[in-house]
Amino acid sequence: MRLHEYQAKQVFADAGIPTPASQLAETVDEAVDAAEEIGYPVAIKAQVHVGGRGKAGGIKLVESKEEAREAAEDIIGMDLKGYHVSKVLVEEAVDFVNELYVGVTMDRNEGRPVAMVSTKGGVNIEEVAEEDPDAIAREHIDPAFGMHPFQARKVVYEAGVDREVANDVASVLTTLYQLWDDRDGADTEINPLMITADNEVIAADAVMNIDGDALFRQPEIAEMGEEAAEGDELEQKADEYGFDYVRLDGNVGIIGNGAGLVMTTLDLVDYYGGEPANFLDVGGGAKADRIANALDMVFSDENVDSVVFNIFGGITRGDEVANGINQALEQFDEIPKPVTVRLAGTNAEEGMEILNEDLVTVEHTLEDAVQRAVEYAKEVEA
């Protein structure tokens, strides 16, 4: 479950991490009043679950009442990468001299949480990891003991953070890990963590994703999650249909049965040069109505240009899955986006023969299916 920036900042501030003065606004007048109260310059920031808001016009820095009104009118109600913007965060602008990245996530290869620090903040950290992996310092943490103070200092110094602010950055990182642990986090990060000319350390952005299976013991976060899902029709549909669903920024829609299977597909889409548009696990029982609901969700995402099914027939046999896919697709007068299917497991061969190849492209291996889906998406882009 993902929190909005304003919600994550509230959690961070309550834990003692410095954040800029800010107010949430749902109307243009509220945004202007907030800007006047905070004092210029301020940033007006769209509150949607999507990266690259600034480049897409969802974040604007303003220095007067007139500019604040114009920016709020532009942002509130806009469609930002398929998301409807209904709220903005009006925030005090930070006069910074440096930007850092700090974050905590689970390193599944190591089976332990990892704390990360980089002096290349303010940019996409995934791009930094790919282009200059040495620019990110990492420290693995034993969850039985938590993050020791020396570990926080060690990873901060290894990242090359200036000594004048190193202790404060280490303190922020320690708090971030404690929040990740106490709140059943999946990811917590600040990008950028801004350094001012007076050597103040301020969280200018905030990301906090929570393990959805742990929400029963995080009632306050669960309430935030209900508010975070407001205005996102796809998230609401996922709840209605009972799907595990996460919306991403790419254009290759992914449908599978089983979290591991979906994650594998997502990783392969990235490996073959595509960009995943979502994580969608339909769970057990791939019947026609459930497949139709999954397709309805993925087809409704304006960012999706092609769809790949990765279904493993276990208790639900491959021939049943194939019949479900056929029946689901036949409910559409026109297939809006190309669909590629790979079946494996019980009665997979029978299922492959049943699939209507007038409606879908059938591939016998997952690698071939993913590559075909990525090709279809790139053809649309071209």
Side-chain angles (χ1 to χ4, degrees):
M1 187 200 78
R2 296 179 292 175
L3 297 184
H4 283 299
E5 176 192 2
Y6 74 90
Q7 295 170 317
K9 279 183 173 170
Q10 177 184 330
V11 175
F12 289 4
D14 289 344
I17 295 176
T19 60
S22 63
Q23 292 184 32
L24 189 68
E26 298 185 20
T27 68
V28 172
D29 287 340
E30 286 179 1
V32 173
D33 290 344
E36 291 283 298
E37 184 174 337
I38 293 170
Y40 300 100
V42 299
I44 298 181
K45 310 168 79 173
Q47 296 300 286
V48 290
H49 296 303
V50 67
R53 290 174 297 167
K55 292 181 180 179
I59 298 178
K60 295 189 177 183
L61 187 67
V62 301
E63 299 187 359
S64 68
K65 183 175 183 178
E66 292 73 21
E67 289 183 4
R69 181 170 295 280
E70 182 179 352
E73 288 174 346
D74 289 343
I75 295 173
I76 295 176
M78 77 181 297
D79 183 273
L80 189 64
K81 296 186 177 182
Y83 287 80
H84 176 75
V85 179
S86 59
K87 301 174 183 176
V88 294
L89 186 66
V90 182
E91 183 174 86
E92 175 187 14
V94 179
D95 186 10
F96 65 93
V97 295
N98 201 1
E99 295 178 294
L100 309 179
Y101 168 90
V102 295
V104 178
T105 190
M106 175 61 73
D107 185 336
R108 303 196 182 279
N109 290 330
E110 294 289 332
R112 292 184 293 168
V114 59
M116 298 174 290
V117 180
S118 177
T119 55
K120 292 190 174 182
V123 296
N124 188 322
I125 197 64
E126 285 79 12
E127 292 179 3
V128 175
E130 182 176 341
E131 297 171 3
D132 188 8
D134 292 339
I136 304 174
R138 297 171 174 85
E139 179 71 15
H140 288 91
I141 303 157
D142 186 336
F145 299 100
M147 176 179 276
H148 295 292
F150 81 86
Q151 289 181 295
R153 293 193 297 269
K154 175 174 175 281
V155 70
V156 166
Y157 282 118
E158 287 179 350
V161 175
D162 289 341
R163 289 182 175 273
E164 290 81 0
V165 297
N167 285 336
D168 287 342
V169 175
S171 176
V172 169
L173 182 61
T174 301
T175 303
L176 207 59
Y177 174 79
Q178 198 61 52
L179 286 171
W180 180 90
D181 188 40
D182 292 345
R183 298 303 185 99
D184 293 296
D187 309 284
T188 55
E189 66 178 40
I190 301 171
N191 187 22
L193 181 67
M194 289 183 169
I195 312 299
T196 71
D198 297 328
N199 289 329
E200 291 184 284
V201 176
I202 300 175
D205 197 6
V207 171
M208 190 170 194
N209 300 327
I210 307 298
D211 182 351
D213 291 332
L215 288 177
F216 70 93
R217 60 188 185 193
Q218 302 289 348
E220 294 180 6
I221 297 292
E223 288 183 11
M224 288 183 175
E226 293 175 5
E227 185 178 345
E230 291 178 3
D232 188 333
E233 294 181 2
L234 291 178
E235 297 282 358
Q236 292 173 356
K237 281 186 178 181
D239 289 340
E240 177 185 338
Y241 295 148
F243 293 148
D244 288 330
Y245 175 80
V246 178
R247 195 174 186 186
L248 304 172
D249 296 338
N251 62 347
V252 178
I254 297 170
I255 301 173
N257 60 335
L261 209 63
V262 179
M263 283 300 299
T264 300
T265 312
L266 189 149
D267 288 341
L268 280 173
V269 168
D270 182 71
Y271 178 78
Y272 286 117
E275 296 183 23
N278 65 271
F279 172 104
L280 201 167
D281 176 10
V282 298
K287 301 297 185 183
D289 58 344
R290 197 160 179 81
I291 294 296
N293 289 340
L295 284 168
D296 175 50
M297 283 194 60
V298 177
F299 286 163
S300 297
D301 187 342
E302 296 177 0
N303 293 336
V304 170
D305 292 324
S306 75
V307 181
V308 58
F309 269 97
N310 184 15
I311 302 291
F312 183 85
I315 297 173
T316 303
R317 303 191 313 270
D319 54 330
E320 293 178 339
V321 172
N323 282 320
I325 292 173
N326 285 344
Q327 292 172 34
L329 289 171
E330 287 166 1
Q331 296 177 28
F332 294 90
D333 295 330
E334 180 180 350
I335 309 300
K337 295 158 186 180
V339 177
T340 307
V341 179
R342 174 263 192 175
L343 294 180
T346 307
N347 287 3
E349 290 300 323
E350 292 88 336
M352 292 288 195
E353 295 176 2
I354 290 171
L355 285 168
N356 184 346
E357 296 194 44
D358 290 334
L359 302 176
V360 301
T361 298
V362 177
E363 297 290 352
H364 289 271
T365 69
L366 176 56
E367 290 80 1
D368 288 344
V370 169
Q371 288 183 73
R372 181 60 62 91
V374 169
E375 288 171 6
Y376 283 147
K378 288 183 176 180
E379 289 173 4
V380 173
E381 288 179 342

